[in-house]
Amino acid sequence: MTEHFLSSILIATDGSEKNRAALEEGIKVARLCGATLYAVYVIDTGTFSTMSGDIPLGDTYRVFQAEAEQAFARMRSLAGDLKVETAILEGRPAPEVVKFATRKKIDLIVIGTQGKRGLERLLLGSVAEEIIRSAPCKVLVVK
């Protein structure tokens, strides 16, 4: 039996429609390689410190969990018969994705970028850039 070049692919998802291209591309590569797909959604705990005290923390956490489950359901639907493992992580998105990839010995991380320019790119593309700089494996960035 021939061993595939890529046996595990991690797709970082935020559940947004802008992330759909990254999902589709990651699934396409996984299908071609026969790779196991891992989907991670990171609850950015830094957002809790900037939120109004009027919103109960538990309610906010449940909203993020529901969003993650919706993102995973979309991915499973697109992936069809491919094996998909999911994980909800907590913390800063880039370091959590990199730690997960290291722990699971991921061969490829697939992430989306919003394709912004100038100051917007610096602010919105910082997660993708940080993952690219610190990932233990190859990274595919999908615009």
Side-chain angles (χ1 to χ4, degrees):
M1 182 159 86
T2 306
E3 187 174 318
H4 294 289
F5 175 67
L6 299 173
S7 61
S8 58
I9 297 174
L10 168 63
I11 302 176
T13 184
D14 62 3
S16 72
E17 189 57 37
K18 291 179 181 181
N19 191 248
R20 186 178 180 97
L23 285 178
E24 290 173 350
E25 196 65 25
I27 290 167
K28 188 185 314 179
V29 173
R31 194 171 303 286
L32 289 170
C33 297
T36 297
L37 272 175
Y38 291 85
V40 298
Y41 179 100
V42 182
I43 297 175
D44 186 350
T45 54
T47 59
F48 293 137
S49 64
T50 60
M51 295 178 65
S52 165
D54 298 339
I55 303 170
L57 198 56
D59 290 347
T60 304
Y61 190 81
R62 281 188 288 282
V63 167
F64 282 126
Q65 284 183 307
E67 189 175 82
E69 292 303 331
Q70 286 178 341
F72 295 155
R74 175 187 290 170
M75 184 171 176
R76 284 188 190 100
S77 172
L78 291 171
D81 61 343
L82 287 175
K83 181 179 179 188
V84 179
E85 294 188 27
T86 61
I88 298 174
L89 310 174
E90 296 178 30
R92 287 188 41 242
E96 291 305 319
V97 168
V98 169
K99 280 193 273 187
F100 184 90
T102 301
R103 190 170 58 249
K104 292 289 189 174
K105 296 181 173 58
I106 297 294
D107 297 314
L108 176 70
I109 298 172
V110 180
I111 52 175
T113 182
Q114 296 193 347
K116 302 283 185 178
R117 294 191 186 120
L119 182 59
E120 286 181 277
R121 186 200 66 77
L122 289 174
L123 296 174
L124 298 175
S126 61
V127 171
E129 187 173 338
E130 191 175 340
I131 290 172
I132 292 165
R133 290 181 189 275
S134 55
C137 59
K138 292 173 176 55
V139 179
L140 173 60
V141 180
V142 180
K143 189 173 179 182

